[in-house]
Amino acid sequence: AQSVAQPEDQVNVAEGNPLTVKCTYSVSGNPYLFWYVQYPNRGLQFLLKYITGDNLVKGSYGFEAEFNKSQTSFHLKKPSALVSDSALYFCAVRDLSGGYNKLIFGAGTRLAVHP
Amino acid sequence: EPEVTQTPSHQVTQMGQEVILRCVPISNHLYFYWYRQILGQKVEFLVSFYNNEISEKSEIFDDQFSVERPDGSNFTLKIRSTKLEDSAMYFCASSEGVLAASSDTQYFGPGTRLTVL
Protein backbone atom coordinates (compact mmCIF):
# COMPACT_ATOMS: atom_id res chain seq x y z
CA ALA A 1 0.00 0.00 0.00
CA GLN A 2 1.11 3.53 -0.68
CA SER A 3 2.07 5.61 2.32
CA VAL A 4 3.91 8.75 3.26
CA ALA A 5 5.59 9.68 6.52
CA GLN A 6 6.52 13.05 7.94
CA PRO A 7 8.80 12.23 10.86
CA GLU A 8 8.71 15.67 12.51
CA ASP A 9 5.61 17.11 14.14
CA GLN A 10 7.21 20.54 14.28
CA VAL A 11 10.22 22.29 12.79
CA ASN A 12 11.57 25.50 14.28
CA VAL A 13 13.73 27.79 12.18
CA ALA A 14 15.08 31.30 12.59
CA GLU A 15 14.11 33.79 9.91
CA GLY A 16 16.71 33.94 7.17
CA ASN A 17 17.98 30.43 7.82
CA PRO A 18 17.43 27.53 5.43
CA LEU A 19 14.58 25.20 6.22
CA THR A 20 13.91 21.54 5.51
CA VAL A 21 10.67 19.68 6.09
CA LYS A 22 11.12 15.95 5.72
CA CYS A 23 8.98 13.43 3.89
CA THR A 24 9.55 9.78 3.08
CA TYR A 25 7.32 7.60 0.98
CA SER A 26 6.50 3.99 0.25
CA VAL A 27 4.96 3.15 -3.10
CA SER A 28 4.86 0.37 -5.60
CA GLY A 29 5.89 1.71 -8.96
CA ASN A 30 6.80 5.28 -9.79
CA PRO A 31 5.86 7.82 -7.12
CA TYR A 32 3.82 10.93 -7.82
CA LEU A 33 4.58 13.25 -4.90
CA PHE A 34 3.07 16.53 -3.79
CA TRP A 35 3.56 19.22 -1.15
CA TYR A 36 0.71 21.33 0.18
CA VAL A 37 0.65 24.11 2.76
CA GLN A 38 -2.21 24.98 5.09
CA TYR A 39 -2.40 28.41 6.69
CA PRO A 40 -4.75 28.94 9.66
CA ASN A 41 -8.42 28.79 8.63
CA ARG A 42 -7.46 28.21 5.01
CA GLY A 43 -7.57 25.27 2.68
CA LEU A 44 -4.67 23.26 1.35
CA GLN A 45 -2.59 25.24 -1.11
CA PHE A 46 -0.52 23.42 -3.70
CA LEU A 47 3.21 24.13 -3.53
CA LEU A 48 4.88 21.71 -5.93
CA LYS A 49 4.90 18.19 -7.30
CA TYR A 50 7.27 15.57 -8.64
CA ILE A 51 6.07 13.42 -11.50
CA THR A 52 9.18 12.66 -13.51
CA GLY A 53 12.36 14.35 -14.70
CA ASP A 54 14.69 16.51 -12.63
CA ASN A 55 15.05 15.45 -9.04
CA LEU A 56 14.96 19.08 -7.87
CA VAL A 57 11.50 20.53 -8.26
CA LYS A 58 10.81 24.24 -7.85
CA GLY A 59 7.48 25.51 -6.64
CA SER A 60 5.59 28.46 -5.26
CA TYR A 61 6.89 31.04 -2.75
CA GLY A 62 10.54 30.04 -3.25
CA PHE A 63 10.07 26.46 -2.09
CA GLU A 64 11.75 23.52 -3.72
CA ALA A 65 11.85 19.79 -3.07
CA GLU A 66 14.41 17.13 -3.79
CA PHE A 67 13.29 13.72 -4.93
CA ASN A 68 15.68 10.98 -3.82
CA LYS A 69 14.73 7.57 -5.12
CA SER A 70 17.37 5.61 -3.22
CA GLN A 71 16.31 7.15 0.09
CA THR A 72 12.62 7.24 -0.87
CA SER A 73 12.46 10.83 0.26
CA PHE A 74 10.94 14.06 -0.99
CA HIS A 75 12.11 16.76 1.42
CA LEU A 76 10.79 20.29 1.12
CA LYS A 77 13.38 23.05 1.28
CA LYS A 78 13.76 26.79 1.18
CA PRO A 79 17.11 28.64 1.24
CA SER A 80 15.92 31.49 3.46
CA ALA A 81 12.88 31.17 5.69
CA LEU A 82 10.35 33.95 6.25
CA VAL A 83 8.10 34.43 9.28
CA SER A 84 5.19 34.26 6.84
CA ASP A 85 6.21 30.68 5.95
CA SER A 86 4.93 29.56 9.35
CA ALA A 87 2.14 27.08 8.58
CA LEU A 88 1.26 23.40 8.44
CA TYR A 89 2.92 21.48 5.60
CA PHE A 90 1.62 18.24 4.15
CA CYS A 91 3.40 15.76 1.93
CA ALA A 92 1.17 13.55 -0.21
CA VAL A 93 1.53 10.67 -2.64
CA ARG A 94 -0.84 9.67 -5.37
CA ASP A 95 -2.31 6.23 -4.64
CA LEU A 96 -2.17 4.29 -7.88
CA SER A 97 -3.33 1.02 -6.36
CA GLY A 98 -7.09 1.42 -6.53
CA GLY A 99 -7.24 3.96 -9.30
CA TYR A 100 -5.51 7.15 -10.22
CA ASN A 101 -7.40 9.54 -8.08
CA LYS A 102 -6.80 9.78 -4.42
CA LEU A 103 -3.99 11.45 -2.54
CA ILE A 104 -2.60 9.91 0.62
CA PHE A 105 -1.40 12.54 3.03
CA GLY A 106 1.22 12.53 5.72
CA ALA A 107 0.34 13.68 9.21
CA GLY A 108 1.69 17.16 8.57
CA THR A 109 4.60 19.15 9.94
CA ARG A 110 4.11 22.48 11.63
CA LEU A 111 6.77 24.95 10.59
CA ALA A 112 7.46 27.81 12.98
CA VAL A 113 9.78 30.54 11.73
CA HIS A 114 10.96 32.87 14.48
CA PRO A 115 12.06 36.47 13.89
CA GLU B 1 -6.63 32.91 -10.42
CA PRO B 2 -9.49 30.37 -10.39
CA GLU B 3 -10.25 28.84 -7.00
CA VAL B 4 -12.36 26.10 -5.53
CA THR B 5 -15.02 27.61 -3.27
CA GLN B 6 -17.03 25.96 -0.52
CA THR B 7 -20.10 26.89 1.46
CA PRO B 8 -20.83 27.19 4.27
CA SER B 9 -17.54 27.80 6.04
CA HIS B 10 -18.99 26.38 9.25
CA GLN B 11 -22.02 24.16 9.73
CA VAL B 12 -23.41 23.15 13.11
CA THR B 13 -26.00 20.39 13.20
CA GLN B 14 -27.69 18.02 15.58
CA MET B 15 -26.88 14.32 15.52
CA GLY B 16 -29.20 12.49 13.13
CA GLN B 17 -29.82 15.49 10.91
CA GLU B 18 -28.98 15.65 7.23
CA VAL B 19 -26.37 18.11 5.98
CA ILE B 20 -25.34 19.16 2.50
CA LEU B 21 -21.94 20.65 1.94
CA ARG B 22 -21.50 22.62 -1.24
CA CYS B 23 -18.53 23.16 -3.50
CA VAL B 24 -17.91 25.01 -6.74
CA PRO B 25 -14.91 23.39 -8.46
CA ILE B 26 -12.66 25.22 -10.90
CA SER B 27 -14.71 25.64 -14.06
CA ASN B 28 -12.75 23.60 -16.61
CA HIS B 29 -11.90 20.77 -14.24
CA LEU B 30 -13.33 17.30 -14.78
CA TYR B 31 -12.42 15.42 -11.59
CA PHE B 32 -13.91 16.30 -8.22
CA TYR B 33 -13.05 15.04 -4.77
CA TRP B 34 -14.06 15.20 -1.13
CA TYR B 35 -11.58 14.77 1.70
CA ARG B 36 -11.99 15.24 5.41
CA GLN B 37 -9.71 16.10 8.29
CA ILE B 38 -10.79 15.22 11.80
CA LEU B 39 -9.21 17.63 14.27
CA GLY B 40 -5.60 16.68 14.90
CA GLN B 41 -5.61 13.86 12.35
CA LYS B 42 -4.55 13.31 8.76
CA VAL B 43 -6.40 14.51 5.71
CA GLU B 44 -8.36 11.48 4.47
CA PHE B 45 -9.80 10.74 1.04
CA LEU B 46 -13.54 10.19 0.88
CA VAL B 47 -14.61 10.03 -2.75
CA SER B 48 -13.75 11.02 -6.29
CA PHE B 49 -16.23 11.84 -9.03
CA TYR B 50 -15.81 11.91 -12.79
CA ASN B 51 -18.22 11.98 -15.69
CA ASN B 52 -21.21 12.15 -13.34
CA GLU B 53 -20.36 9.08 -11.37
CA ILE B 54 -18.22 8.00 -8.45
CA SER B 55 -14.84 6.77 -9.71
CA GLU B 56 -13.42 5.75 -6.34
CA LYS B 57 -14.50 5.82 -2.71
CA SER B 58 -12.93 5.00 0.61
CA GLU B 59 -14.18 2.79 3.41
CA ILE B 60 -15.33 5.92 5.21
CA PHE B 61 -17.75 6.74 2.40
CA ASP B 62 -20.58 4.44 3.47
CA ASP B 63 -24.30 4.54 2.68
CA GLN B 64 -24.74 7.65 4.82
CA PHE B 65 -22.74 9.66 2.31
CA SER B 66 -23.64 10.66 -1.22
CA VAL B 67 -22.31 13.07 -3.80
CA GLU B 68 -24.02 14.86 -6.61
CA ARG B 69 -23.33 17.35 -9.34
CA PRO B 70 -26.78 18.91 -9.54
CA ASP B 71 -25.87 21.42 -12.23
CA GLY B 72 -22.90 22.54 -14.28
CA SER B 73 -21.10 24.25 -11.45
CA ASN B 74 -21.90 22.77 -8.05
CA PHE B 75 -20.64 19.57 -6.44
CA THR B 76 -22.27 18.50 -3.18
CA LEU B 77 -21.60 16.08 -0.37
CA LYS B 78 -24.64 14.91 1.59
CA ILE B 79 -24.53 13.16 4.92
CA ARG B 80 -27.96 11.65 5.55
CA SER B 81 -27.91 11.12 9.30
CA THR B 82 -24.96 12.78 10.95
CA LYS B 83 -23.04 11.18 13.79
CA LEU B 84 -20.81 12.79 16.36
CA GLU B 85 -17.78 11.27 14.64
CA ASP B 86 -18.63 13.07 11.40
CA SER B 87 -17.39 16.29 13.00
CA ALA B 88 -14.45 17.33 10.85
CA MET B 89 -13.21 19.80 8.27
CA TYR B 90 -14.43 18.73 4.84
CA PHE B 91 -12.38 19.76 1.83
CA CYS B 92 -13.51 19.75 -1.75
CA ALA B 93 -10.90 19.52 -4.51
CA SER B 94 -10.85 19.45 -8.28
CA SER B 95 -8.35 18.59 -11.00
CA GLU B 96 -8.22 18.97 -14.76
CA GLY B 97 -8.20 15.30 -15.65
CA VAL B 98 -7.63 15.99 -19.33
CA LEU B 99 -4.67 13.71 -19.89
CA ALA B 100 -2.96 11.56 -17.28
CA ALA B 101 -5.11 11.99 -14.20
CA SER B 102 -2.40 10.46 -12.08
CA SER B 103 -0.13 13.45 -12.61
CA ASP B 104 -2.88 16.04 -12.16
CA THR B 105 -2.69 18.58 -9.41
CA GLN B 106 -5.67 18.65 -7.09
CA TYR B 107 -6.69 22.14 -6.02
CA PHE B 108 -8.45 22.39 -2.69
CA GLY B 109 -11.14 24.68 -1.37
CA PRO B 110 -10.98 26.42 2.02
CA GLY B 111 -13.06 23.73 3.70
CA THR B 112 -16.32 23.48 5.63
CA ARG B 113 -16.03 22.85 9.33
CA LEU B 114 -18.85 20.50 10.33
CA THR B 115 -19.74 20.30 14.00
CA VAL B 116 -22.21 17.61 15.04
CA LEU B 117 -23.74 18.09 18.49
Side-chain angles (χ1 to χ4, degrees):
Chain A
Q2 330 283 359
S3 66
V4 62
Q6 293 180 244
E8 301 155 317
D9 290 336
Q10 177 147 335
V11 170
N12 297 298
V13 176
E15 187 175 30
N17 282 1
L19 69 87
T20 299
V21 182
K22 295 180 181 176
C23 172
T24 58
Y25 65 88
S26 173
V27 302
S28 52
N30 293 323
Y32 294 161
L33 297 157
F34 301 78
W35 275 103
Y36 287 84
V37 59
Q38 185 178 31
Y39 296 101
N41 301 314
R42 302 283 297 276
L44 299 166
Q45 294 181 35
F46 169 72
L47 281 179
L48 50 79
K49 67 181 177 183
Y50 173 81
I51 303 300
T52 187
D54 286 342
N55 290 341
L56 187 65
V57 179
K58 293 189 184 296
S60 307
Y61 313 121
F63 283 94
E64 57 190 28
E66 186 169 11
F67 172 69
N68 188 316
K69 188 172 184 178
S70 63
Q71 297 185 4
T72 62
S73 67
F74 188 56
H75 300 333
L76 182 70
K77 300 182 180 187
K78 188 173 182 181
S80 178
L82 300 172
V83 172
S84 56
D85 292 329
S86 299
L88 191 54
Y89 290 80
F90 291 95
C91 183
V93 64
R94 176 84 73 185
D95 184 352
L96 302 179
S97 58
Y100 292 104
N101 301 123
K102 64 178 182 272
L103 292 174
I104 295 175
F105 285 86
T109 298
R110 187 164 299 281
L111 173 66
V113 182
H114 305 286
Chain B
E1 185 176 325
E3 290 183 334
V4 176
T5 59
Q6 291 184 242
T7 54
S9 57
H10 192 188
Q11 174 91 46
V12 180
T13 189
Q14 295 290 325
M15 190 169 56
Q17 294 297 303
E18 175 183 286
V19 294
I20 298 176
L21 310 182
R22 292 182 166 79
C23 168
V24 179
I26 295 172
S27 62
N28 63 335
H29 284 188
L30 301 179
Y31 276 93
F32 315 117
Y33 313 84
W34 285 100
Y35 290 79
R36 78 173 186 190
Q37 185 182 29
I38 295 172
L39 189 63
Q41 297 187 23
K42 291 184 182 184
V43 177
E44 304 172 287
F45 169 79
L46 291 177
V47 66
S48 60
F49 191 85
Y50 173 73
N51 200 26
N52 283 320
E53 60 183 26
I54 290 173
S55 52
E56 191 174 1
K57 60 183 181 180
S58 72
E59 295 172 350
I60 303 167
F61 195 88
D62 62 21
D63 292 344
Q64 292 299 313
F65 291 89
S66 62
V67 289
E68 191 180 25
R69 187 150 164 85
D71 53 43
S73 59
N74 290 284
F75 179 52
T76 62
L77 174 70
K78 183 193 290 186
I79 309 175
R80 288 190 183 82
S81 178
T82 50
K83 308 190 222 20
L84 295 176
E85 53 265 37
D86 293 327
S87 295
M89 180 73 90
Y90 288 80
F91 293 108
C92 174
S94 69
S95 65
E96 283 187 325
V98 175
L99 296 174
S102 54
S103 63
D104 273 354
T105 298
Q106 294 181 18
Y107 294 93
F108 285 76
T112 293
R113 181 165 297 286
L114 176 64
T115 302
V116 182
L117 303 176

